[in-house]
Amino acid sequence: MAPVASKANPLLSKVPWRRIILRRISGGRVAHAPSSSTAAESETVIAGTKILEAFSEEFEIGSRKITLETGKIARFANGAVVLAMEETKVLSTVASAKSDGTRDFLPLTVDYQEKQFAQGMIPSTFMRREGAPKERELLCGRLIDRPIRPLFPPGFYHDVQVMSSVLSSDGKQDPDVMAANATSAALMLSDIPWGGPIGVIRIGRISGQFIVNPSMDELSLSDLNLVYACTRDKTLMIDVQAREISEKDLEAALRLAHPEAVKYLEPQIRLAAKAGKQKKEYKLSMVSEETYEKIRSLAEAPIEAVFTDPAYGKFERGEALDNITQDVKKKLEEECNEEGLKVLSKTVDTVRKKVVRRRIIGEGLRVDGRRLDEVRPVYCEAGNLPVLHGSSIFSRGDTQVLCTVTLGAPGEAQRLDSLVGPPSKRFMLHYSFPPFCINEVGKRVGLNRREVGHGTLAEKALLAVLPPEDDCPYTVRVNAEVMASDGSTSMASVCAGSMALMDAGIPLGEHVAGLSVGLVSETDPSTGEITDYRILTDILGLEDHLGDMDFKIAGTRNGVTAIQLDIKPAGIPLDIICECLEPARKGRLQILHHMEREINVPRTQDGRNSPRILTLKYSNDAIRRLIGPLGALKIKIEEETGGRISVSDGFLTVVAKNQSVLDKVMEKIEFIVGREVVKGGIYKGVITSIKEYGAFVEFNGGQQGLLHISELSHEPVSRVSDVVSVGQVLNVMCIGLDVRGNINLSLKATLPKLGSNTNPAVGESVAPVPQAPKVWKPVNNVQKEQESKDDPPMGVGESLSSIVIRSAAECDEDEKSAGLNRSCKGGVPMDAKKLKLGMAVTAKVHQIRAHGLVLDLGGGVRGMFRFETGSRRDFEVGEEMRVKCSSFSSKGIPIMTLVRK
């Protein structure tokens, strides 16, 4: 690197600096500048070293070493803590605005952010920087908000902002729980009044053994993901995703989580003692006793009259309560009671709460006249939108949700850009809460925290019963549209989503239902302990607002799949929480009974308008030909047909609106890629040239075949051009090879003989695609996967250079034609067209394969029988067996099962 002097301006270098006398003015006196030697000495002085006083606490929970540190970074924040677990570090900061707090709610904001630098990566966005909060960041923000919000003192309405950022991540630990604990520690260090600390813990279960603070690898094997938050003796928040865990095992997990979470408290208290600030006296917005009594005396009696009349609906009740508030307001205005007018809305709400609580606890009567454990009337309807892949309507009381299901290709899975967890997900549930569902006016904006949270809860509830990815390799999107809201729309979305999935034909393990359990309690004002309480099953929106708890529980008949607990007081004893599990189970079973009466098995759609999904296996060369340069051919096929094509790991997935669209897509694909040519297969081709002895046909993705003049028609043909012309598109049948190895084609074989209807009709295709399509059963394209390559062929045919032997399931038409004149056992001629679902026949074993049998059903008709796990496999060729038809493949091949004796 060149010296700095060499970069100086040449003009300035000529200035005689040494002859200029520098002077300074100080206190009005003129003094000479210090000598050059003194100036040189002053330039050698270096900056001092700043010492950052840091405080830390180390402890261990669940074999994980955890460190809390403060004082090193974010020193200006009201409270800042870095929590580290192995190489994952999370910074949480809190700040409070210096406002007068003249509100009637707590404006608490929690922002959680995962930046890509935490894992040493640059964002893949166009601007190469993070954008709007992602779904996961919103969910983690809610996870932090829910347990800390109830612990702020009543009347504290100052702006509070929590910001949590992941500083580094090794991918082994989920930072969400770490951020919640770091936030608790930061609030303890700040001068903000808060009733903490809290502890947040995650519990997993592998092979029946509970694991505290599981790693991401352990969590992927776990059938339980429990996040539990508490104070020293009370529960604050529960979030559960499980695979049908029983209520007994869930209670055991909760009782294990509480003492483990309490271990976070003492380190926070010790750290606050070292570096915490003195709590500041904030102005609290409290209602004076005199003002409260004045408003109560005016509003209590009419409010009680409204709540004792179960004939009121949601909006009628709301309108009557609003009228009461307006009447009280007029009387306060007449008396010029300014203080009462300022706190009128919140005070009237407090009066409502006390009236409802007194009736429920004292008389056991709810607002709508139901018993405490009674579920509202249920309405279920599946398939209300038959054009869609799946749809349903679920109503519970006045709450109503419309759910739709859309099936897509594997490549349409949602890509997740998070620090931990899978890179994508194939099952999505999107919850929407439009303003009209509560008769309000509003604007639809971007991601809403509440909608994201409710949708994720319903998604977790249904995820437990979805079939494995090998059996269901498709992307599934469920849209839950709230049509009317009066309590627990997220649980209604679970019920409607379960029915819609079955209506779409997805083979769910069980139906999933959910409801919300509430709590109304009385507390001792001096100690804050609960003295009396009542548990409410299936709460209304008003009971949710005026009650203490919203405990959403979803599951099947076998167990719980998802839980979300939110509370309003500063904690609820765990014993009461566990007591709520049994009423929730009983209510869930009642709802499941209604759902199962509507639809209890996956629906099969036989209509021509039902959607089709087809999965095929091709070689990489064939897929390259299909996609074309920059995907041009693929895009052209999609535009011309309306179908959608997805390519992944050598598999080609076609999604079509109906069978006709699927046929168009497959026609295009087969013309470009081609199929394995089989003797007897019928293909669509184009006449490329005409000779005296016949015509050459291009078919099957560029292959050439000879259509001899003798194969043009059943009648004698003198000239080839009399029958076909260049460019003509026609269906031809492969009949074998000539002596030179060329493929011989026949047109007359596709035409009916005079006086005979046994030949296949023009356009009928009997040749298989490169691999037996793996088609999702519910959309009426049932076909088993192709047997392994080592298995012997299912039939015998002529060997060609580019021809495969025909399968027995699609035997040649000559054999079928001859066999139709024979009779099956009992003397009744068997015909493939006469065979129907459920029809029982006596069949003979024609061939034995590695994964099943080829059966001779009589009359030349062949059927397929697949071995089941643990079933008999010692069959012999020619052995007779009694079977019945359970389904048909997309080619019309009967799929048979044993008739149980």
Side-chain angles (χ1 to χ4, degrees), residues 143 198 465:
L143 194 72
I198 67 170
V465 297

Side-chain angles (χ1 to χ4, degrees), residues 506-522:
I506 299 178
L508 299 184
E510 292 277 345
H511 258 316
V512 183
L515 50 73
S516 186
V517 176
L519 178 71
V520 172
S521 63
E522 286 185 350

Side-chain angles (χ1 to χ4, degrees), residues 292-546:
Y292 172 76
E293 288 298 329
K294 176 67 177 177
I295 296 176
R296 185 191 64 79
S297 63
L298 296 173
E300 186 176 36
I303 287 175
E304 189 165 3
V306 172
F307 285 150
T308 54
D309 188 353
Y312 278 108
K314 175 179 178 177
F315 292 103
E316 293 80 6
R317 187 186 302 115
E319 184 178 355
L321 294 173
D322 289 340
N323 292 335
I324 294 172
T325 303
Q326 294 300 320
D327 293 340
V328 175
K329 181 179 179 181
K330 291 179 182 178
K331 293 180 181 179
L332 294 177
E333 288 175 344
E334 293 173 358
E335 299 176 2
C336 298
N337 191 334
E338 294 295 333
E339 181 184 356
L341 291 172
K342 288 182 181 179
V343 297
L344 175 61
S345 177
K346 187 167 186 63
T347 306
V348 170
D349 191 63
T350 303
V351 175
R352 295 175 185 173
K353 184 178 296 186
K354 291 193 174 183
V355 170
V356 171
R357 288 168 173 266
R358 185 172 63 246
R359 281 177 47 79
I360 291 176
I361 293 179
E363 306 173 26
L365 297 176
R366 300 173 67 171
V367 174
D368 57 354
R370 283 184 293 148
R371 301 188 308 273
L372 300 183
D373 61 347
E374 185 178 350
V375 179
R376 288 174 286 175
V378 174
Y379 171 81
C380 301
E381 180 182 353
N384 56 296
L385 301 172
V387 176
L388 304 184
H389 296 193
S391 60
S392 69
I393 294 177
F394 178 84
S395 297
R396 188 184 60 247
D398 288 333
T399 297
Q400 184 182 65
V401 173
L402 166 68
C403 264
T404 63
V405 173
T406 307
L407 310 179
E412 295 177 304
Q414 180 183 358
R415 290 188 294 272
L416 304 177
D417 191 16
S418 58
L419 299 180
V420 295
S424 63
K425 66 176 182 179
R426 64 186 182 93
F427 177 68
M428 301 161 282
L429 191 147
H430 296 156
Y431 169 96
S432 180
F433 191 90
F436 68 78
C437 71
I438 51 175
N439 196 26
E440 290 185 357
V441 176
K443 288 193 292 187
R444 299 310 308 270
V445 290
L447 284 178
N448 179 284
R449 289 176 183 259
R450 180 181 178 276
E451 290 184 341
V452 171
H454 281 42
T456 301
L457 174 62
E459 181 180 301
K460 292 190 295 187
L462 294 170
L463 196 60
V465 297
L466 285 181
E469 189 170 354
D470 293 340
D471 298 335
C472 173
Y474 304 104
T475 300
V476 182
R477 184 193 184 207
V478 179
N479 280 81
E481 305 290 330
V482 180
M483 298 289 105
S485 172
D486 190 15
S488 192
T489 53
S490 61
M491 294 295 95
S493 300
V494 173
C495 302
S498 181
M499 291 192 298
L501 288 170
M502 278 206 176
D503 182 60
I506 299 178
L508 299 184
E510 292 277 345
H511 258 316
V512 183
L515 50 73
S516 186
V517 176
L519 178 71
V520 172
S521 63
E522 286 185 350
T523 58
D524 187 341
S526 59
T527 62
E529 297 297 325
I530 295 178
T531 57
D532 197 5
Y533 64 91
R534 296 291 184 273
I535 297 173
L536 310 180
T537 301
D538 183 23
I539 58 176
L540 296 170
L542 183 64
E543 292 170 335
D544 180 12
H545 174 66
L546 302 178

